[in-house]
Amino acid sequence: MTRNTLRLWSGVHTWTSLICTVFMLMLCITGLPLIFHDEIDALLDTHDWQPAHPDGPLLSLDAMLDAALANRPGDVPLFMSFDIDRPVVNVTSAPTLDATVRDMHFASFDRTSGDLVPGEEGFDLMHFILDLHTDMFLGLPGMLFLGAMGVLLILAIISGVVLYAPFMRKLDFGTVRTQRSPRVKWLDYHNLLGIVTVAWLLVVGLTGVVNTLKTPIVDTWRTHALADLTAGYGDARVPTPQDMASLDDAVAQAEAAAPDMTLQFVAFPGGSWSTSFHYAIFLHGNTPLTSHIITPALVDARTGAFADLREMPWYNKALSLSGPLHFGDYGGLPLKILWAVLDVFTIVVLVTGLYLWRVRRKREKQGGSEV
């Protein structure tokens, strides 16, 4: 590698790292508790809730929807999801179909009685951390900005790998010169931890970028992949809850069309994950891999007629897989611990990178040479 090429790669690594480092530090620090969000939520949960009729029959989904709308008069339903280990139905509603996330209302209901399940009162720490990590409380612009920072991170990683080979030409792998100056010692730690975490950081960086594109990905799916299903409706209005066909019948048709899959959630007409005229009933597979890939069955919400069961396009599958992979949320506690250790290593890499840049700038101002 020529001196000019090396200087070019060094400039790319320096400036891409400097621009994104503060935001990457924020993401690593907030990402650390999010890796263990299930465990932290369980620890903070002070409820000893029990269903009203533990051995009683479950109410219909139509009855649960009625209970949710009675609890929020004037709202329209957006999503219905289901707890895995409790007879609980969760309904997300909003004043309008195009409401922002912060205007949506999430409520849980006992499926044995229709009663509201009490939620946690006060400040929700994990939700606050998730919002900060996802979009810095700025919505889509914040998500896209963090996606751009993720692209810079990937460039910083690639340029760092390119620079690592000539740097280590005269040193054994993993050498840390602890007897040299603090700058040299921390440079060795920076390079060692950087190369150790490079594959993980590329995976987390790429999946993080994909996650920031959630809104454009879903919009593209609705606009293009489902265009044929909405072509015949013309200017028909979105059906109101009173106009909708039975949700139970719609779910039954979806489950019959995919008997080897499990119901995950329902998106109502007009919401972001459905068309303006269909129930989108999302099902997932039953293996560790396919459990993260969702397949929608679409049922006409006005007539109850089954429309189609179709696989999500590749970009939606990438979105479905990127979330669990990003947080290490698919291999149990051992994988989460590994993710956390690598996250801490990355924080050290970022902090030492800032330190090395500061020392280098100071030496340049003083007219010193690199050690």
Side-chain angles (χ1 to χ4, degrees), residues 18-341:
L18 281 175
I19 294 171
C20 73
T21 288
V22 172
F23 299 100
M24 290 303 110
L25 270 173
M26 179 274 292
L27 292 174
C28 286
I29 293 170
T30 56
L32 197 55
L34 290 174
I35 294 172
F36 301 101
H37 67 93
D38 290 328
E39 291 77 9
I40 293 174
D41 284 341
L43 184 65
L44 297 177
D45 185 9
T46 58
H47 281 110
D48 188 20
W49 179 84
Q50 293 293 327
H53 310 291
D55 300 320
L58 300 180
L59 298 179
S60 69
L61 299 181
D62 290 314
M64 300 310 301
L65 179 59
D66 290 341
L69 295 178
N71 181 63
R72 297 285 297 182
D75 272 15
V76 291
L78 298 177
F79 304 103
M80 177 181 286
S81 60
F82 312 90
D83 278 18
I84 296 174
D85 54 352
R86 304 186 303 172
V88 170
V89 170
N90 310 295
V91 178
T92 302
S93 63
T96 60
L97 292 171
D98 58 353
T100 64
V101 173
R102 289 172 181 80
D103 291 328
M104 295 178 186
H105 180 264
F106 179 88
S108 300
F109 297 87
D110 180 354
R111 200 175 172 186
T112 69
S113 66
D115 296 333
L116 190 65
V117 176
E120 290 285 349
E121 297 293 336
F123 179 67
D124 189 336
L125 176 62
M126 294 307 294
H127 186 72
F128 175 86
I129 294 174
L130 180 61
D131 282 347
L132 178 59
H133 185 89
T134 302
D135 59 19
M136 301 186 297
F137 311 106
L138 297 175
L140 180 58
M143 292 177 68
L144 295 179
F145 176 81
L146 291 178
M149 293 301 101
V151 172
L152 290 180
L153 172 66
I154 293 168
L155 290 174
I157 295 170
I158 294 172
S159 57
V161 172
V162 172
L163 293 170
Y164 184 76
F167 175 82
M168 294 300 294
R169 189 174 296 155
K170 297 180 181 180
L171 295 172
D172 294 332
F173 177 81
T175 298
V176 178
R177 293 167 287 180
T178 57
Q179 305 305 315
R180 299 289 294 274
S181 67
R183 191 196 73 83
V184 173
K185 179 180 68 175
W186 285 113
L187 176 63
D188 288 343
Y189 276 123
H190 178 82
N191 290 330
L192 174 61
L193 294 179
I195 207 67
V196 166
T197 60
V198 64
W200 174 82
L201 197 51
L202 274 173
V203 169
V204 171
L206 286 169
T207 54
V209 170
V210 172
N211 286 336
T212 65
L213 299 175
K214 175 181 177 179
T215 298
I217 286 173
V218 175
D219 287 346
T220 299
W221 171 68
R222 292 187 67 207
T223 303
H224 299 289
L226 300 181
D228 60 310
L229 289 176
T230 59
Y233 288 89
D235 296 328
R237 64 179 177 84
V238 178
T240 65
Q242 294 75 26
D243 298 330
M244 294 179 191
S246 169
L247 178 58
D248 288 280
D249 292 345
V251 169
Q253 291 186 76
E255 292 179 328
D260 56 340
M261 303 183 78
T262 300
L263 176 66
Q264 185 174 27
F265 72 96
V266 176
F268 290 91
S272 58
W273 280 88
S274 62
T275 77
S276 295
F277 313 105
H278 293 86
Y279 291 121
I281 300 161
F282 288 88
L283 309 109
H284 63 80
N286 298 315
T287 68
L289 178 61
T290 60
S291 64
H292 297 297
I293 299 177
I294 55 177
T295 300
L298 293 121
V299 177
D300 190 314
R302 300 178 307 171
T303 66
F306 184 83
D308 198 7
L309 176 74
R310 55 178 61 182
E311 285 193 10
M312 301 288 263
W314 67 267
Y315 47 85
N316 282 85
K317 290 182 180 179
L319 177 62
S320 297
L321 292 171
S322 65
L325 190 57
H326 185 73
F327 291 109
D329 197 17
Y330 63 91
L333 187 59
L335 187 66
K336 291 184 178 184
I337 293 174
L338 174 62
W339 246 237
V341 170

